[in-house]
Amino acid sequence: MPKNSPSFSNKLITWYLQNTRDLPWRTTNNPYYIWLSEIILQQTRVLQGLPYYLKFVETYPKVEDLANAHEDEIMKLWQGLGYYSRARNLHATAKIVSEEMNGAFPNNYKDLLKLKGVGDYTASAIASICFNQPEAVVDGNVYRTLSRVFGISTPINTPAGQKEFKQMAQLLIDKTQPGTFNQAIMEFGARYCVPQNPDCPNCIFNENCKAFQHNKVSELPVKIKAKPIKKRYFNYLVVLSVKEKTVLRQRTGKGIWHRLYEFPMIETSEDINLPTLEKLPKFQSFSEEFQIENISLYNEKPVIHKLSHQHLITRFWIVESRENSEVAIPVSEIGNYAVPVLIENFVSDFFGNY
DNA sequence: AATCCGGGGCG
DNA sequence: CGCCCAGGATT
């Protein structure tokens, strides 16, 4: 356990005050804006989340605006950011705060933790930044910085590791300015104690850093290996009717892209050709429903869409249809629906930007 | 304790 | 190509 807590905290905060990025959520203590920024930034780089934060603040200036919005509209704004359960939980929590809490967020760690989509990290961030509570945040930056400076090799992605690092951070936090401390240690991890090739010779902690002293910077933090990536095979059926209409379906149930829209899709256990596709029972019922006249393969080489834990080997089949089904929508309206990046890429490729 | 959930940037 | 990102929910 660290013995030089005051020194660590003071040096860290001094560094932070001299190296503060100008970010929009740093100019407010409004819990709504802090909460919004923290949800958006979960597992997301600041530069990737920033434009989304600006869009949401502009579209929904108050939590009531977010609560009263339609989920489809929120999903559309969230499109491209990934981990879409965040957007659904965002809406649910906005409704709770707006309708059951009189528009005021809980003002303490324990009650913040009860909100959907708010875990230990986010509750600690809001409690410290907005309400000056001494709750230490532990995000990826904190794991990395503490494991190196104090030479902790407990795997960070285990309950034991999470507990140990949370306790360490609690000991280190400056209780007179917890919000500043929390943002300082995250900023330090993001800007200085970076994952690959940090500038240790010039680091403010290098004389005390266990990892630097023992030449183990590249070995910390320790993380249990992830499972191998799975391959899946998606066959999209892109309907084109004579009246320039197509068909989208909303994904429901469990799995990726929940509540996003996509073309009708048949998943197979391997990459298939047209004769094989036409024999599939799911395709035959689809073919009858939409009066298919002709089918052609759009992409000669499959599109390989890479997610963190699975690769999607994708074929787009262009299906010319005679009938105008009631569920068909004009092609020009596809852009109104929240779709996965895989679909967005295909649409702009095939239909062009509109 | 294990598993799932996106997309993008970087070396 | 592997690693990681201002994590959380579910089982």
Side-chain angles (χ1 to χ4, degrees), chain A residues 65-315:
Chain A
D65 302 322
L66 184 57
N68 294 333
H70 291 288
E71 180 177 284
D72 276 354
E73 181 185 292
I74 295 173
M75 299 306 288
K76 183 62 187 175
L77 265 194
W78 198 274
Q79 176 179 313
L81 196 54
Y83 283 166
Y84 296 93
S85 66
R86 291 185 291 171
R88 302 192 302 271
N89 288 333
L90 192 77
H91 193 206
T93 290
K95 282 187 169 179
I96 297 290
V97 171
S98 176
E99 296 166 11
E100 298 180 19
M101 300 178 175
N102 211 9
F105 275 80
N107 65 355
N108 62 83
Y109 168 82
K110 179 169 150 288
D111 290 329
L112 284 163
L113 206 48
K114 297 174 184 170
L115 301 174
K116 277 189 182 176
V118 174
D120 183 84
Y121 163 79
T122 305
S124 300
I126 301 172
S128 63
I129 295 171
C130 303
F131 305 112
N132 215 33
Q133 291 201 318
E135 288 292 336
V137 296
V138 183
D139 73 336
N141 297 304
V142 177
Y143 281 123
R144 190 168 55 250
T145 300
L146 294 185
S147 70
R148 286 173 176 170
V149 172
F150 298 104
I152 310 297
S153 55
T154 310
I156 62 174
N157 54 345
T158 62
Q162 292 169 17
K163 185 179 177 184
E164 182 175 354
F165 281 92
K166 174 78 179 183
Q167 288 176 346
M168 278 191 62
Q170 278 304 135
L171 288 177
L172 292 166
I173 193 171
D174 184 337
K175 295 184 178 177
T176 69
Q177 41 183 340
T180 302
F181 173 89
N182 279 338
Q183 297 191 73
I185 191 168
M186 289 191 286
E187 187 80 355
F188 184 79
R191 308 263 313 272
Y192 213 104
C193 197
V194 292
Q196 307 293 334
N197 305 316
D199 184 16
C200 298
N202 291 317
C203 175
I204 56 173
F205 294 121
N206 62 9
E207 289 186 0
N208 302 330
C209 180
K210 295 287 187 273
F212 182 62
Q213 289 171 358
H214 299 104
N215 199 20
K216 290 187 173 179
V217 172
S218 63
E219 299 173 27
L220 293 172
V222 174
K223 202 169 185 178
I224 304 289
K225 289 292 181 186
K227 286 185 57 179
I229 293 174
K230 282 187 178 177
K231 290 183 181 177
R232 300 174 67 183
Y233 300 86
F234 283 10
N235 296 275
Y236 281 109
L237 305 174
V238 184
V239 172
L240 280 184
S241 80
V242 287
K243 293 187 178 178
E244 293 198 348
K245 287 193 169 186
T246 190
V247 175
L248 291 181
R249 288 179 178 167
Q250 188 172 30
R251 291 181 67 95
T252 58
K254 300 189 175 183
I256 59 173
W257 302 332
H258 185 56
R259 309 252 184 114
L260 268 62
Y261 291 82
E262 64 182 3
F263 300 106
M265 189 271 287
I266 299 175
E267 183 171 1
T268 50
S269 57
E270 59 184 0
D271 195 25
I272 61 172
N273 56 20
L274 183 54
T276 307
L277 175 68
E278 290 179 313
K279 288 175 191 142
L280 296 176
K282 284 183 181 177
F283 178 84
Q284 290 175 0
S285 60
F286 177 86
S287 179
E288 290 173 19
E289 181 180 354
F290 292 99
Q291 304 276 316
I292 291 178
E293 290 198 316
N294 187 45
I295 311 168
S296 60
L297 178 59
Y298 173 65
N299 51 330
E300 200 54 49
K301 288 163 61 177
V303 174
I304 302 180
H305 187 74
K306 296 177 178 178
L307 306 179
S308 292
H309 307 290
Q310 48 188 305
H311 287 356
L312 309 178
I313 294 93
T314 311
R315 298 283 188 183

